[in-house]
Amino acid sequence: MMIMKRISEWFEVRLGYKELAEKHLTGYLLPRNINAWYSLGSVLLVIFGIQVLTGILLLIYYVPDADKAFRSVTAIMNDVPYGWLIRMCHAVGSNMMVAVLLLHMLSTLFMGSYKSPRELNWLTGFILFNLVLGISLSGYLLPWSQLSFWATTVATNSAGAIPIIGDYLMQFLRGGKLVGPPTLGRFFAAHVALLPLAIAGLIGAHLFLLERIGVSAPPFGLKETKNSWQGDQFRHEDHPGGIPFFPDYLLQDATSIMIYLAVFFSVVFFSPNIFFPVTAFMPADPFRTPAHIKPEWYFLANYQTLKIFPSELLGLMVQGAVMTFLALLPFIDRGKERHPLKRPIFLACFVGGIIIYLGMTIWGHYS
Amino acid sequence: MQSSSRRTFLGICLGGLAAAGAATATWPVIRYLSPRSVEETGGKVSFPESDVPADGAKFFDFRGTTGVVVRTKSGQLVAFSAICTHLGCIVQWEKDKQDFLCPCHAGRYSPDGAVIAGPPPKPLPRLPFSVTNGLITVG
């Protein structure tokens, strides 16, 4: 023990880590009425970590060449020891990441945490959500299966509906007139380098904003639920008399992470093919379109929206408008009230939006 | 039970679970990264005897390394590991001198694999082979 104490002192006098720990862990106080939904950010960090780790492992055996990609993925699944586990964790993890991100954003909406002064937290989070959709889409092509090939064909085709630049944009995304080997090259670069770097950078910005502005208090269990921010000068939102991040809230984070991992591994071990239709096990054939090609579940609502509008452009415009509205919500919704039950119009839009999204997703699945 | 002791108990449980999970995950990752065993990379290599030219050599992948079969001036076939015993470069067959040269540090081996010059500490290991109906099988 003496040696441990001396090592600890050696670092302490050089780094002053006890002060850092006091500031960011034991002395970092959170609101007393904080709830489990606040731990979803930590769950997402763990998911991102698992995706990076399994992604690096897959890179060891994956070959980003249209002639070899499918065979290399098949070899990872069948020949490399535990390759199936690494790939399944990566594929299931990408779906889970989108699902947990949606829950994280819904809880932020429901509790009014996006309101001033946290507009930038919301905006960085919203951009992160879009980047995660982008990294999922680009990763979908890499196995070079019939599913990947044709889902990417359909997804990139939507860009062609944009007036004037649409056709050029579609060809730019694909690296040619149709999806082919050049598409694999650019999607691979985006998936393993560009997008992970962008996501990591934005996570850093998101966490910096969280730390700098302070954690919002949930509007529940309080007498005063209106936003107290005055907007005259910068103030870090403190929570005197709150609960410390370490050990109290870290245990909640750890509990949520364990619950997430239990669900995640249940899917990986007991229902691994939930995200893999038959076409995922057939090599890409550019001359044979499979029947009923559908995008991943998180794009089904977008897919169905495009189908129900008479023109693809109109469908894209509606989606663009909804996404722009959501991105700018903190700048549009300037109301002080944060409790959802005291915001009937917001609550109606919130519930209605979820019902429409789920309805379109289910409709898209069965259409 | 006081809340602090409940917290400690929960912390120990979660910490233990995390440690057990991390330990469990280590094995698949090690297996995933481990080089393939000899059984997985194939045991024997066969090719026609005509692939080995007169006075010449044929190099081939053998159990994850490189092997060489040489037909000497006397017409005799010999098979060796082509990995130089000095620092692991691949030796080259010098047809005119009838010996193996390692171009990295000028190690030389005789046609029977013995060191004749340079820094290699040991002879080239011989590989077992057989010739049946014009087919050479190494391993």
Side-chain angles (χ1 to χ4, degrees):
Chain A
M1 288 311 282
M2 194 59 194
I3 185 87
M4 290 301 288
K5 199 176 170 192
R6 286 184 65 178
I7 292 172
S8 150
E9 277 305 307
W10 190 92
F11 279 106
E12 171 57 25
V13 294
R14 281 159 182 84
L15 302 174
Y17 73 84
K18 285 179 183 167
E19 184 201 326
L20 269 182
E22 157 68 22
K23 192 177 170 199
H24 297 286
L25 297 173
T26 51
Y28 180 36
L29 300 180
L30 302 172
R32 292 202 75 82
N33 63 336
I34 196 166
N35 55 45
W37 291 97
Y38 278 67
S39 60
L40 288 180
S42 301
V43 174
L44 282 165
L45 274 180
V46 168
I47 301 177
F48 183 65
I50 294 175
Q51 289 305 101
V52 170
L53 192 69
T54 51
I56 291 171
L57 289 172
L58 288 173
L59 272 179
I60 294 168
Y61 296 105
Y62 174 74
V63 185
D65 177 316
D67 292 331
K68 297 172 183 166
F70 185 80
R71 218 178 321 138
S72 71
V73 173
T74 309
I76 289 171
M77 292 292 281
N78 298 330
D79 302 335
V80 180
Y82 293 99
W84 61 271
L85 179 61
I86 307 290
R87 192 201 169 200
M88 282 300 167
C89 283
H90 197 72
V92 172
S94 70
N95 285 277
M96 291 292 197
M97 195 164 179
V98 177
V100 178
L101 247 171
L102 282 171
L103 289 177
H104 187 45
M105 289 173 79
L106 284 176
S107 69
T108 306
L109 274 176
F110 192 68
M111 292 187 273
S113 303
Y114 58 86
K115 288 177 176 263
S116 310
R118 297 187 179 79
E119 296 94 333
L120 293 173
N121 300 49
W122 172 261
L123 207 55
T124 49
F126 193 82
I127 298 170
L128 269 171
F129 175 66
N130 284 282
L131 289 177
V132 166
L133 289 181
I135 205 168
S136 302
L137 180 78
S138 54
Y140 211 56
L141 179 68
L142 303 191
W144 208 247
S145 64
Q146 276 289 70
L147 178 72
S148 345
F149 188 92
W150 294 102
T152 306
T153 297
V154 173
T156 49
N157 199 57
S158 308
I162 299 170
I164 307 167
I165 57 160
D167 200 43
Y168 178 76
L169 184 66
M170 182 177 73
Q171 290 194 32
F172 186 82
L173 281 172
R174 292 175 173 177
K177 282 191 164 54
L178 298 172
V179 172
T183 324
L184 183 61
R186 48 189 65 208
F187 272 46
F188 176 71
H191 187 75
V192 306
L194 184 69
L195 289 169
L197 281 174
I199 289 174
L202 267 161
I203 289 175
H206 197 66
L207 292 178
F208 166 76
L209 290 166
L210 176 75
E211 168 79 20
R212 185 73 187 145
I213 299 170
V215 175
S216 67
F220 311 118
L222 302 173
K223 276 187 190 153
E224 180 53 63
T225 54
K226 285 194 172 158
N227 193 354
S228 60
W229 190 65
Q230 292 156 24
D232 53 343
Q233 63 176 50
F234 172 76
R235 281 187 198 89
H236 180 269
E237 188 169 337
D238 290 319
H239 301 283
I243 59 165
F245 173 70
F246 181 85
D248 296 40
Y249 201 73
L250 193 66
L251 287 176
Q252 175 60 62
D253 275 346
T255 307
S256 301
I257 290 165
M258 288 301 169
I259 292 170
Y260 164 75
L261 289 176
V263 175
F264 171 65
F265 282 116
S266 298
V267 176
V268 168
F269 290 124
F270 298 111
S271 197
N273 289 341
I274 191 172
F275 300 117
F276 290 93
V278 173
T279 42
F281 300 101
M282 299 153 98
D285 183 347
F287 302 122
R288 185 175 295 175
T289 312
H292 312 301
I293 200 78
K294 294 263 171 74
E296 277 285 70
W297 63 269
Y298 41 82
F299 285 127
L300 280 175
N302 311 64
Y303 164 79
Q304 188 59 28
T305 309
L306 287 180
K307 276 171 71 176
I308 58 170
F309 280 94
S311 90
E312 207 174 347
L313 176 62
L314 199 60
L316 275 184
M317 282 170 67
V318 168
Q319 289 182 41
V322 171
M323 290 302 267
T324 309
F325 175 75
L326 276 175
L328 301 179
L329 184 61
F331 303 98
I332 298 165
D333 175 13
R334 311 295 295 170
K336 289 270 182 196
E337 183 55 57
R338 290 182 56 215
H339 198 294
L341 295 181
K342 295 177 186 170
R343 305 166 65 202
I345 298 174
F346 164 81
L347 196 58
C349 292
F350 180 80
V351 176
I354 294 175
I355 291 172
I356 291 173
Y357 180 79
L358 289 178
M360 295 296 268
T361 302
I362 295 166
W363 192 5
H365 179 73
Y366 288 105
S367 65
Chain B
M1 198 186 282
Q2 286 183 344
S3 71
S4 64
S5 59
R6 277 195 291 139
R7 196 167 292 131
T8 309
F9 176 71
L10 182 62
I12 291 170
C13 289
L14 289 169
L17 209 56
T24 312
T26 307
W27 174 245
V29 173
I30 290 173
R31 287 283 293 125
Y32 181 85
L33 293 173
S34 299
R36 313 287 291 278
S37 64
V38 170
E39 290 75 30
E40 286 168 320
T41 49
K44 294 184 176 182
V45 175
S46 293
F47 47 85
E49 198 183 347
S50 56
D51 281 6
V52 188
D55 295 356
K58 177 178 169 60
F59 289 81
F60 51 91
D61 289 329
F62 181 70
R63 295 178 182 171
T65 68
T66 305
V68 58
V69 171
V70 169
R71 193 189 299 276
T72 59
K73 264 189 178 151
S74 60
Q76 186 198 2
L77 287 169
V78 283
F80 295 100
S81 159
I83 314 288
C84 179
T85 56
H86 178 219
L87 289 176
C89 299
I90 302 297
V91 297
Q92 306 296 308
W93 173 248
E94 296 201 299
K95 198 174 170 182
D96 50 340
K97 293 181 183 163
Q98 289 287 294
D99 67 7
F100 291 103
L101 166 70
C102 177
C104 287
H105 303 96
R108 281 187 187 278
Y109 302 86
S110 67
D112 62 357
V115 180
I116 47 179
K122 288 186 289 188
L124 289 174
R126 277 181 182 273
L127 297 179
F129 74 100
S130 61
V131 184
T132 315
N133 299 328
L135 198 69
I136 299 174
T137 303
V138 184

